[in-house]
DNA sequence: TGCGTCACG
DNA sequence: GACGTACGTGACGCAC
């Protein structure tokens, strides 16, 4: 049949459907061998229902499925940043591409792809040819980039939503008729495809402008006439970029296609190859449906899972229906027989939610009190092991309560399960339980962690504690631990909780954890954070647990001596301060200090905060010290208070507190890292915080001398040099910065040289300092005010620097604007490694907006640096397994090791390789990562 | 418990 | 045109 009038061509945007199917469906795998086939399944369902629906008047006479051939197209020649923001292809999607081609052929549909062209261009070309031949065209896609083709006998159809997209729908989306869509797209840009567009102009403004001026060229020619100064300038400054953008979004409808329309004539599916393919994929439901339609016998497929219905991409599915929480259904396990029955149930299921109850939040001192388990929502058990008699009063005895299994007996039964490779152990904050079990000689694995799942999906939206997650995702308010233990001074430990109460609380925790896991698991794929969870979060659990258990040796006597010295010096300063003030007062009280300085001594310009007290922060006091001529007493007082404050801080937060943090059993300090604390992906160290040990002042740095290596050992410190700036240079693609890092030259001096046209050789240190401040400012989402305050220069001058900087490095400004635009559109930003950080405040009005904006700019940079060191840490244990060395601490861009003296050089070489190569192979950075190393008997020497 | 302050990257 | 601002943390002491 020759294509012509009366013919109807269907063009299926195959690549788009693969992605949509992948993200919409849970991670299906072929049962027989685990091959990922979720996207193929979704694609086949779509294709089949498309073919099955093609009956009646509207039925196509010709049909083709069009695919992208490769990522490189002619658009990369026009603009090297095109689609540069695209996240890496998920590992489990790539192998599905060839299968979708096979599927298309199995359904007897023409399968089209062409090197160097996107599917969209082929679609545009065929659509044009079909129209010229007098036929009708339906494009099966919902991609907005295809909407420019709609009209004059061409329409689109969203197969997932079963929705027709015609001229009206396009106009609704873009605010203009289809023939002007490319103008709007050129102006508005596209953060997903990285089409630049005009900064500050979105679809709405673009449509407004196009409708007013008619078309893009007229608009650009008459840009001077635009009233709003920002828009006017954006258009004038970016005219070239806008024209490039237009070329990027304009589809090429004259691609040299190798097929004639006649070749695309609809062909009935042939039963044999189609059934063969579907059975091979083990799609049971679809095989049956297709077999019925083709009136053939469906071949038997052993035990294949049904193909689930699809959901909208990117959206989390609600928690599945669940039984109510019923505390009466929880079982208390008191003997080996009952526990063995649970173990059988666990083995049958292949997974179990586990929770431990202990006497302390400090895992290194905590005693195991009981264990709870759950494998079916609503059903859970608690195994009391260390409950003591006599309740919470002081006279409770230390004898164990009756009716408990022996600890060793219970653990002997559980150990094989907890260590079984075939049984998944699910926990909420598994690092805690992992350590408790590790101290009992049990290496728990493999694991899943609901807290980390939530973190991967919801960072920036809320915290990830169990109580919050339960309420938010299960609509269930969990029993508060306070109701069992009390609070404050009279609080008891869990071993004093009566067993029947403990059962309800503890079993509920396991029940909740299991339900959260079932709710979260399929959503990881929908939100596209499976890789983040599996490569950056979950594997960190055992690594951090080992580091925390190792601890770092701290010399309490050194700290004690320092505390005494500080106390003496402080007493002297305090006397001096009271003398100047002419009255005794509490130097540690900012309120009293403020009143003395600003009311009694008459210093002017005191600023009151929201509590009505004067601000007396270091910056305020430093300003007062410059008033020597006006108010010498106040200047002296402020200076002395600053000294006192420094000592007070060092003593209370470090030399005193660290002594009490030394574990008497190990003689070492064991911090705890929260994996899901910081929204950007950074770790946070608590109890004690070992990530803020002083280093910037000489006096403070001496505290690091108390952090020592064991006998015959050394401490080795490796830290990334300028990692955030390097990442900025890469993501914002700044040629000068990238080259400077490749050449290994001083980055701040280079910046100064570019900005002020001075040679790097013999540079004024002040000029370099200013450039350094700007480089850091950029990472933080720079503002004139902030830079001015940091450099103590007038605001106008600071703004001048920033303008100059943006002029020299326009890519930085583009990056910042693109990031903010992305956040506004999506509600999150992303790191190079796919980590999502939500920015719920980004569309807020008022002062909030500034914070959110800067946080959004900073998050992908800080977050990518955090991802890099996480990757290094995860690989480190295997890399140094043969060395007599232990990884002890992480301080954001630094790793601290303890190693036998003879192996220092080997460790440095090995660990440096791991750290410098940590981005590979997920991301290829355009700049090298460089790691500096040091070693010594203590942390001060090593750093 | 909230705030101010200050230690780190 | 004014608003207020560098990003991300945790721990301490004071004052309520």
């Amino acid at each position: 049949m020759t294509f012509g009038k009366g013919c109807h061509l269907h063009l299926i945007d195959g690549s788009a459907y693969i992605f949509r199917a992948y993200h919409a469906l849970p991670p299906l795998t072929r049962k027989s061998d685990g091959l990922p086939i979720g996207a193929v399944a979704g694609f086949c369902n779509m294709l089949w229902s498309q073919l099955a629906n093609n009956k009646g008047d509207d039925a196509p006479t010709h049909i083709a499925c069009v695919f992208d051939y490769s990522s490189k197209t002619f658009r990369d020649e026009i603009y090297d940043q095109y689609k540069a923001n695209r996240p890496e292809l998920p590992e489990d999607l790539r192998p599905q591409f060839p299968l979708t081609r096979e599927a298309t052929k199995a359904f007897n549909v023409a399968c089209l792809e062409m090197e160097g062209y996107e599917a969209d261009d082929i679609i545009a070309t065929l659509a044009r040819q079909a129209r010229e031949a007098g036929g009708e065209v339906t494009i099966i896609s919902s991609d907005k980039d295809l909407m420019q083709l709609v009209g004059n006998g061409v329409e689109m159809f969203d197969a997932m939503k079963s929705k027709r997209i015609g001229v009206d729908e396009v106009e609704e989306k873009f605010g203009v008729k289809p023939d002007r869509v490319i103008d709007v797209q050129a102006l508005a840009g596209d953060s997903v495809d990285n089409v630049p567009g005009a900064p500050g102009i979105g679809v709405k403004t673009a449509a407004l402008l196009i409708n007013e001026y008619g078309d893009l060229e007229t608009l650009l020619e008459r840009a001077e006439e635009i009233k709003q100064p920002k828009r006017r300038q954006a258009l004038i400054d970016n005219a070239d970029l806008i024209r490039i953008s237009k070329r990027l979004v304009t589809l090429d409808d004259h691609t040299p296609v190798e097929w004639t329309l006649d070749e695309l004539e609809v062909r009935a599916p042939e039963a044999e190859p189609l059934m063969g393919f579907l059975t091979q994929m083990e799609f049971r439901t679809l095989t049956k449906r297709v077999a019925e339609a083709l009136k053939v016998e469906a071949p038997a497929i052993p035990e294949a899972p049904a193909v689930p219905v699809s959901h909208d991409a990117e959206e989390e599915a609600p928690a599945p229906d669940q039984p109510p929480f019923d505390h009466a259904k929880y079982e208390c396990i008191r003997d080996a027989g009952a526990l063995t029955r649970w173990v059988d149930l666990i083995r049958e299921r292949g997974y179990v939610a586990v929770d431990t109850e202990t006497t302390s939040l400090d895992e290194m001192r905590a005693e195991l009190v009981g264990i709870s388990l759950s494998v079916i929502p609503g059903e859970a058990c608690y195994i009391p092991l260390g409950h003591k008699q006599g309740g919470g009063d002081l006279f409770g005895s230390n004898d164990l309560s009756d009716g408990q299994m022996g600890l060793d007996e219970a653990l002997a039964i559980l150990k094989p399960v907890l260590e079984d490779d075939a049984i998944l152990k699910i926990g909420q904050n598994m690092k805690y339980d992992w350590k408790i079990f590790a101290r009992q000689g049990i290496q728990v694995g493999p694991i899943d962690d609901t807290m980390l799942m939530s973190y991967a999906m919801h960072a920036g939206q809320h915290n990830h504690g169990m109580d919050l997650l339960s309420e938010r995702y299960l609509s269930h308010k969990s029993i508060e631990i306070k109701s069992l233990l009390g609070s404050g001074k009279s609080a008891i430990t869990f071993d004093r909780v009566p067993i029947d109460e403990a059962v309800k609380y503890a079993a509920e925790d396991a029940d909740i954890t299991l339900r959260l896991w079932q709710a979260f698991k399929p959503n990881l794929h929908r939100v596209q954070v499976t890789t983040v969870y599996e490569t950056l979060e979950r594997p960190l659990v055992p690594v951090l647990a080992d580091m925390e258990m190792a601890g770092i040796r701290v010399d309490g006597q050194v700290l004690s001596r320092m505390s005494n010295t500080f106390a003496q010096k402080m007493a002297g300063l305090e006397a001096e301060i009271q003398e100047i003030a002419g009255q005794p007062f509490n130097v540690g009280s900012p309120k009293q200090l403020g009143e003395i300085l600003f009311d009694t001594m008459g210093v002017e310009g005191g600023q009151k905060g929201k509590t009505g007290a004067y601000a007396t922060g270091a910056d305020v006091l430093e300003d007062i010290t410059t008033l020597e001529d006006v108010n010498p007493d106040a200047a002296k007082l402020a200076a002395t208070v600053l000294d006192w404050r420094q000592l007070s801080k060092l003593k209370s937060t470090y030399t005193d507190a660290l002594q009490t943090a030394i574990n008497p059993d190990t003689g070492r300090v064991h911090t705890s890292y929260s994996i899901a604390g910081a929204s950007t992906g950074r770790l946070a160290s608590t109890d004690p915080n070992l990530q803020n040990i002083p280093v910037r002042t000489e006096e403070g740095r001496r505290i690091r001398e108390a952090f020592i290596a064991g006998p015959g050992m050394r401490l080795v410190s490796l830290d990334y040099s300028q990692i955030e700036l390097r990442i900025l240079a890469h993501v914002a693609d700044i040629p000068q910065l990238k080259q400077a890092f490749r050449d290994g030259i001083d980055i701040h001096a280079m910046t100064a040289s570019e900005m002020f046209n001075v040679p790097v050789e013999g540079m004024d240190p002040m000029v370099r300092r200013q450039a350094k401040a700007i480089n850091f400012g950029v990472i933080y989402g720079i503002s004139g005010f902030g830079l001015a305050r940091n450099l103590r220069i007038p605001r106008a001058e600071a703004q001048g620097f920033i303008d100059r900087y943006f002029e020299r490095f326009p890519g930085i400004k583009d990056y910042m604007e693109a990031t903010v635009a992305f956040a506004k559109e999506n509600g999150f930003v992303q790191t190079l490694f796919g980590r999502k950080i939500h920015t719920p405040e980004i569309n807020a009005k008022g002062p909030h907006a500034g914070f959110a904006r800067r946080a959004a700019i900073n998050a992908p940079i800080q977050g990518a640096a955090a991802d890099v060191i996480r990757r290094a840490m995860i690989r480190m244990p295997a890399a140094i397994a043969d060395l007599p060395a232990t990884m002890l601490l992480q301080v954001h861009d630094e790793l601290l090791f303890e190693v036998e003296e003879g192996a220092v050089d080997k460790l440095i070489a090995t660990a440096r390789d791991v750290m410098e190569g940590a981005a590979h192979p997920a991301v290829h950075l355009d700049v090298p990562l460089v790691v500096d190393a040091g070693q010594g008997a203590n942390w001060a020497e090593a750093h």
Side-chain angles (χ1 to χ4, degrees), chain A residues 598-650:
Chain A
F598 296 109
D599 293 340
T600 315
M601 302 183 76
V603 177
E604 293 185 3
Q607 300 270 333
K608 290 197 175 180
K610 57 181 91 171
T611 53
Y614 289 108
T616 64
D619 50 343
V620 176
L621 295 188
E622 270 162 34
D623 286 344
I624 295 176
T625 61
T626 64
L627 302 176
E628 275 168 329
D629 302 332
V630 196
N631 197 334
D633 282 351
K636 179 75 182 141
L637 185 98
T640 317
V641 169
L642 281 171
D643 289 344
W644 182 91
R645 282 226 182 122
Q646 199 203 352
L647 296 176
S648 165
K649 179 77 175 182
L650 296 179

Side-chain angles (χ1 to χ4, degrees), chain A residues 458-498:
Chain A
H458 310 128
Q461 289 181 321
H462 52 70
N463 294 328
H464 315 285
M466 191 170 71
D467 295 351
L468 182 144
L469 296 181
S470 174
E471 204 162 340
R472 198 175 166 114
Y473 297 98
L474 305 175
S475 308
H476 172 71
K477 211 162 160 46
S478 51
I479 302 173
E480 283 184 62
I481 187 73
K482 259 202 263 176
S483 70
L484 272 67
L485 303 183
S487 66
K489 247 179 103 180
S490 60
I492 58 169
T493 46
F494 202 87
D495 54 340
R496 299 290 176 187
V497 174

Side-chain angles (χ1 to χ4, degrees), chain A residues 773-774 782-793 798 801-802:
Chain A
I774 296 174
I782 201 158
S783 75
F785 183 93
L787 183 66
R789 205 174 62 167
N790 188 281
L791 284 175
R792 296 172 178 279
I793 57 175
F801 286 169
I802 294 171

Side-chain angles (χ1 to χ4, degrees), chain A residues 113-136:
Chain A
E113 52 190 324
M114 256 170 73
E115 189 163 10
Y117 294 93
E118 294 186 37
D120 292 357
D121 298 310
I122 300 172
I123 290 172
T125 303
L126 292 172
R128 177 187 57 77
Q129 291 177 355
R131 285 299 302 138
E132 285 171 3
E136 302 267 305

Side-chain angles (χ1 to χ4, degrees), chain A residues 35 49 85 179 191 351 364 403 420 427 548 581 612 656 662 716 728 873 911-912:
Chain A
L35 180 77
S49 60
N85 287 346
D179 60 337
S191 53
Y351 56 79
M364 291 303 291
D420 191 331
E548 294 170 12
D656 286 355
I662 300 172
V716 169
L728 175 71
M873 291 171 73
R912 173 179 272 147

Side-chain angles (χ1 to χ4, degrees), chain A residues 131 135-136 149-155 167:
Chain A
R131 285 299 302 138
E136 302 267 305
L149 302 175
V150 168
N152 300 320
V154 178
E155 63 175 35
V167 174

Side-chain angles (χ1 to χ4, degrees), chain A residues 448-449 452-453 456 524 529-535 537-539:
Chain A
D448 250 338
D449 190 325
L452 299 185
M453 289 179 166
L524 285 174
V529 290
T530 307
T531 305
V532 169
Y533 170 70
E534 288 179 357
T535 63
E537 316 287 358
R538 190 175 60 187

